[in-house]
Amino acid sequence: MYDKGVAIEVIAKSLRMDRKTVRKYAHATVVADLLSPPRQSRRMLQPWAEYLNMRWQEGCTDSGRLFREIQERGYRGSSRSVRRWLEPLRSAESPTPKRSEAPTVRQVTGWLTRHPDNLSSGQQLRLKRILADCPELADLRRHIAAFAAMMKKLDGRLLPRWMKAAQGSELPPLRGFARNLSKDLDAVTDGLTQPYSSGMVEGHVNRVKYLKRQGYGRANFDLLRRRILLTP
């Protein structure tokens, strides 16, 4: 009817359809134009795209379950948007459940030491599974979070309590770290309490190293001393 020149308003009235629906079908050139989800829905789901793809590859094709999972992670859209987002995946071959590749030590270290809010939904899920399989790492993460809170809030008075909890841990490296802190407890406590840093000192150290490298290892101490004192 539209190709014959009938107006969209007339088509909508005769077919008892909404004008927006008629316009959508009339202007579509291929079937994909009718099946593709709206761009707004894709933009809303973009932060959870990595998580949805990973869960799909793991064999989870239930849109309702996926909707609930990302909703718990902060998604505020509708379940219909999730179903539309999954439609292109359903048209392909069904996913075969597979085990994801084991993360590297560097990756797990980064997930443990970074703030949870700075991890993507996929990284949070993988870390959650790792911690569930390894209680030692879960215990380590609690100690890391407590130490990071002391550093951020400059609350060094809690250091003795943290050291006592760390020394009671079953992780030898953590106990060794706490034991080494006790060798210079006053300095460490001040470092976790005072707002000052050793940035200026480190800057001078880098300057001395730079001047030393310029001598290509042939400058003795007297010459290096003169260069340090006379070089602006």
Side-chain angles (χ1 to χ4, degrees):
M1 294 174 68
Y2 183 72
D3 291 340
K4 293 179 180 180
V6 182
I8 289 181
E9 290 77 5
V10 177
I11 299 175
K13 185 175 181 179
S14 61
L15 297 181
R16 297 180 181 180
M17 298 174 63
D18 185 84
R19 286 185 300 174
K20 294 181 180 178
T21 303
V22 174
R23 186 180 298 108
K24 176 182 177 181
Y25 276 80
H27 293 168
T29 57
V30 293
V31 178
D33 295 342
L34 304 175
L35 299 179
S36 60
R39 294 182 179 180
Q40 181 65 24
S41 301
R42 284 193 172 275
R43 283 197 297 267
M44 290 185 62
L45 282 167
Q46 194 59 38
W48 293 272
E50 179 185 358
Y51 178 84
L52 289 173
N53 282 324
M54 183 182 66
R55 295 288 288 128
W56 179 270
Q57 293 300 327
E58 290 176 349
C60 181
T61 59
D62 186 352
S63 61
R65 179 177 178 180
L66 293 175
F67 167 70
R68 291 189 296 272
E69 290 181 3
I70 63 175
Q71 194 177 40
E72 294 175 355
R73 289 165 170 79
Y75 175 65
R76 294 295 178 263
S78 64
S79 58
R80 183 179 180 183
S81 298
V82 178
R83 289 197 302 270
R84 285 179 171 177
W85 195 90
L86 294 175
E87 283 177 359
L89 299 179
R90 295 189 188 281
S91 62
E93 297 181 359
S94 301
T96 55
K98 63 178 183 179
R99 296 179 61 87
S100 58
E101 295 182 359
T104 64
V105 175
R106 183 184 295 272
Q107 286 178 318
V108 177
T109 302
W111 298 343
L112 290 173
T113 54
R114 287 161 58 188
H115 195 281
D117 294 342
N118 296 330
L119 299 177
S120 65
S121 55
Q123 292 171 340
Q124 292 179 5
L125 178 64
R126 298 185 72 182
L127 178 60
K128 182 178 180 181
R129 292 176 176 174
I130 292 173
L131 298 180
D133 294 337
C134 184
E136 292 83 0
L137 282 181
D139 183 40
L140 177 62
R141 191 192 187 195
R142 287 191 292 269
H143 290 295
I144 292 175
F147 196 87
M150 280 193 301
M151 294 177 60
K152 185 175 182 179
K153 298 178 181 178
L154 295 178
D155 204 355
R157 62 184 179 84
L158 299 178
L159 181 60
R161 184 190 307 176
W162 184 90
M163 292 172 56
K164 182 178 180 181
Q167 289 172 349
S169 172
E170 297 182 357
L171 301 172
L174 186 63
R175 293 199 305 267
F177 176 71
R179 185 169 56 252
N180 289 330
L181 292 180
S182 63
K183 297 178 180 178
D184 204 356
L185 183 60
D186 292 339
V188 178
T189 303
D190 287 343
L192 293 174
T193 306
Q194 302 295 333
Y196 312 108
S197 70
S198 60
M200 183 175 295
V201 176
E202 294 298 330
H204 285 297
V205 170
N206 287 334
R207 174 173 171 267
V208 171
K209 289 181 178 179
Y210 171 72
L211 294 174
K212 182 176 182 294
R213 283 195 298 269
Q214 285 184 329
Y216 298 97
R218 293 176 294 180
N220 58 19
F221 180 79
D222 294 334
L223 177 59
L224 180 61
R225 178 177 182 275
R226 286 178 175 273
R227 297 200 63 192
I228 292 173
L229 294 177
L230 298 178
T231 302

